[in-house]
Amino acid sequence: MLSMPLDVIGLIFAILDPRDLLSLARTSKGLRAILMTKSNKWYWVYALTHVEGLPQCPPFLNEPSYASLVFSKYCHNCLKRAPLVDRVFIIFSARYCKECENERLVTQEHEQFQLLLGEIEDVVSERPKFTSYGYPARYHLPELVAFSKSWNARAGNAEAQTQLVRDFAASVKSRNQFAKLFRVWALRKKQARNKELRDEREAKKNAIIERLRTLGWGDELDQMDSSSRDRSLGREPLFKKRGPLTDRVVWANMQDEAVAWIELQRDKRLRRLRDKVMDPRFRLCERFLQIWAADYWPIDEYDDLPIPSTALQFRDYLLMPEIRSVLDVPDNVAVTWEVFREKLGPLLPGLVREWIESCKEELRAKLEVVFSSFQEGVDPMRLVTTAQLAARGHAKPMSVILWHGRLSLWEAIADPPSPDWKARVQWDTERIMVNPGISPLKARALIEACEMDADSATPEASPRMSPGLSEISRAVSRQAVKLKMVSAGITAADFRAAGMDISQGTTRVH
């Protein structure tokens, strides 16, 4: 290109925009020498005047520097990419990335600023003005350093230092005036870019919808609300891909994603329609089960270990296939109170008994693993040492599912939620552990202090001590009594005394 006549080169440069001139100036030393010569600055002036709305080059910058500041895409400090016009701090003649902005823009509390301000006020009566950005005001650290050097160079010459402050104030005024003009242009440029992106997204959205109609999804698209459809499509990764929607490349690559999206929207719509049908069925079923449990709960068969009707929650009922089969029928099939009474009434006693026994078996297996010293033939669920268990994990929701006399027993929570309607919490022995508030060691110590066998003691084993066991459990669980083990010199008599005190409603720390 350098071998071409200069008038031809000039004609080429005259049709380039500032970004093109910057790229050419960085291509070779020869081109840089041509473009950076003062006599050729008209190339830059001509290019800058062709940028719509851009203010003319300010007096505190030359044309190449102005073009580099506005149209370059790199941070002036670290050379990282900072392409947005918001990264241009025209008042400081700098473009910074976010990290360098935080590093090089300082507040009045900065040590350099306070030191410089103190030195100036000792010499000059009028307060100096520096260029600032934002609120609260932030100042350009390189500018403060440059001013400090100029100030120190005039040390001992009060008149020269006063003139420096006044000249700097005039420069700040000029920069502020130009910054207002530049911000107006930057805002319009940003608005134009946003409009361009909106138009591009709108065109791409319409193109995707049109191609889905071609694939036979027209009826589904017509049933969707246009605003919710657009919001949903706008969140999809396929919609965020830049560039026009071409058939041979872009659409061929995103067609599967677009079909998957419309299928998902169809499934959601069908689920909403299904929920409108199922919600009344669930509410009616829940009411039926509450009334049935109040009248027919099989409590007589479990007098030795009474189970309240509230133990079996509606969410646990919904996990039973027999109940789900009554609810999960086509939309046009009526599900009424008579249907529940005829189909579920005869089955519920057996289902409840089966559920209770399965829960007990799971608990027995759990307890036999945790407590290995049970006597053979002893039901671990009946022991006082296993009387208080709790669930680990979240505190809510929580459902009590078994009862053990006056002692609290087993609680369960569910995590993560089940996708089944209102089946978000159900019985789960995997969530059960020994409550840290009453460890097996403490429980055994208390029971043995009451002259009972910890491996076989039940609340009914000693009528005299049974009423006190619940008080002992509650006192230990809230750590009102700090038990010390036999290794610390505590005797059985001390434990017995502690147990009697607790049973009488008082606490005593040994």
Side-chain angles (χ1 to χ4, degrees), residues 451-507:
E451 298 180 347
M452 300 169 66
D453 184 5
D455 294 331
S456 60
T458 63
E460 300 81 15
S462 175
R464 181 176 64 85
M465 292 304 299
S466 290
L469 286 178
S470 100
E471 298 295 334
I472 293 172
S473 174
R474 285 197 292 268
V476 173
S477 65
R478 67 177 179 263
Q479 297 185 350
V481 177
K482 306 295 184 182
L483 290 178
K484 298 182 180 179
M485 297 298 99
V486 178
S487 60
I490 304 300
T491 63
D494 294 323
F495 280 120
R496 188 178 301 108
M500 293 302 294
D501 286 345
I502 295 171
S503 67
Q504 295 171 6
T506 61
T507 58

Side-chain angles (χ1 to χ4, degrees), residues 252-493:
N253 293 333
M254 69 167 57
Q255 178 175 336
D256 293 341
E257 297 179 62
V259 172
W261 169 78
I262 192 64
E263 288 177 345
L264 178 62
Q265 302 310 308
R266 178 198 58 191
D267 294 342
K268 289 181 178 179
R269 180 181 62 82
L270 295 177
R271 180 62 182 268
R272 288 193 296 269
L273 294 175
R274 181 64 172 170
D275 286 345
K276 290 182 180 179
V277 175
M278 295 301 294
D279 282 351
R281 295 181 182 179
F282 284 125
R283 287 193 291 270
L284 183 62
C285 182
E286 186 174 20
R287 181 59 181 160
F288 174 81
L289 292 172
Q290 290 173 348
I291 294 177
W292 177 88
D295 295 338
Y296 302 106
W297 185 259
I299 194 171
D300 295 340
E301 302 178 24
Y302 303 97
D303 288 338
D304 60 328
L305 189 62
I307 311 295
S309 60
T310 55
L312 187 54
Q313 300 292 311
F314 181 56
R315 55 188 65 93
D316 295 305
Y317 282 110
L318 288 178
L319 296 177
M320 299 177 181
E322 294 82 358
I323 293 179
R324 294 182 71 93
S325 64
V326 176
L327 294 169
D328 194 11
V329 294
D331 297 351
N332 57 357
V333 177
V335 180
T336 62
W337 189 275
E338 290 71 20
V339 171
F340 290 135
R341 185 172 53 195
E342 294 176 4
K343 295 187 177 181
L344 295 183
L347 299 177
L348 282 173
L351 294 176
V352 170
R353 294 188 190 95
E354 181 180 350
W355 182 84
I356 292 175
E357 291 303 325
S358 64
C359 291
K360 287 184 177 181
E361 290 303 319
E362 293 177 9
L363 284 172
R364 288 190 182 95
K366 186 82 173 182
L367 295 174
E368 287 173 356
V369 173
V370 177
F371 303 97
S372 58
S373 59
F374 292 141
Q375 293 183 2
E376 186 175 354
V378 175
D379 187 353
M381 294 177 61
R382 304 295 301 147
L383 297 180
V384 177
T385 52
T386 64
Q388 189 172 5
L389 299 180
R392 61 178 179 266
H394 305 292
K396 295 180 180 180
M398 188 172 287
S399 57
V400 179
I401 52 181
L402 284 180
W403 206 257
H404 194 176
R406 294 179 61 190
L407 302 181
S408 61
L409 228 188
W410 296 282
E411 297 170 335
I413 63 175
D415 181 33
S418 166
D420 299 309
W421 190 92
K422 287 190 178 181
R424 298 183 178 88
V425 182
Q426 61 269 356
W427 169 255
D428 182 10
T429 55
E430 295 298 325
R431 310 293 302 177
I432 296 177
M433 69 175 184
V434 176
N435 190 331
I438 177 169
S439 66
L441 188 60
K442 291 181 180 180
R444 293 181 69 87
L446 282 172
I447 295 168
E448 290 173 358
C450 296
E451 298 180 347
M452 300 169 66
D453 184 5
D455 294 331
S456 60
T458 63
E460 300 81 15
S462 175
R464 181 176 64 85
M465 292 304 299
S466 290
L469 286 178
S470 100
E471 298 295 334
I472 293 172
S473 174
R474 285 197 292 268
V476 173
S477 65
R478 67 177 179 263
Q479 297 185 350
V481 177
K482 306 295 184 182
L483 290 178
K484 298 182 180 179
M485 297 298 99
V486 178
S487 60
I490 304 300
T491 63

Side-chain angles (χ1 to χ4, degrees), residues 188-204 242-243:
R188 290 175 178 172
K189 179 179 174 62
K190 187 175 181 179
Q191 291 173 343
R193 179 57 178 166
N194 290 338
K195 182 180 183 303
E196 179 183 344
L197 292 176
R198 285 196 301 270
D199 294 343
E200 180 182 319
R201 287 193 293 267
E202 183 70 17
K204 179 176 288 187
R242 298 292 303 277

Side-chain angles (χ1 to χ4, degrees), residues 210-249:
E210 185 60 33
R211 283 165 174 77
L212 287 173
R213 290 184 183 277
T214 304
L215 294 176
W217 290 98
D219 292 341
E220 185 63 34
L221 289 168
D222 292 337
Q223 296 188 58
M224 298 173 65
D225 178 68
S226 59
S227 58
S228 60
R229 177 197 64 194
D230 294 346
R231 286 194 301 270
S232 175
L233 184 59
R235 291 191 293 265
E236 291 298 312
L238 65 95
F239 188 70
K240 297 178 181 179
K241 296 177 181 178
R242 298 292 303 277
L245 189 65
T246 58
D247 287 328
R248 295 188 58 184
V249 179

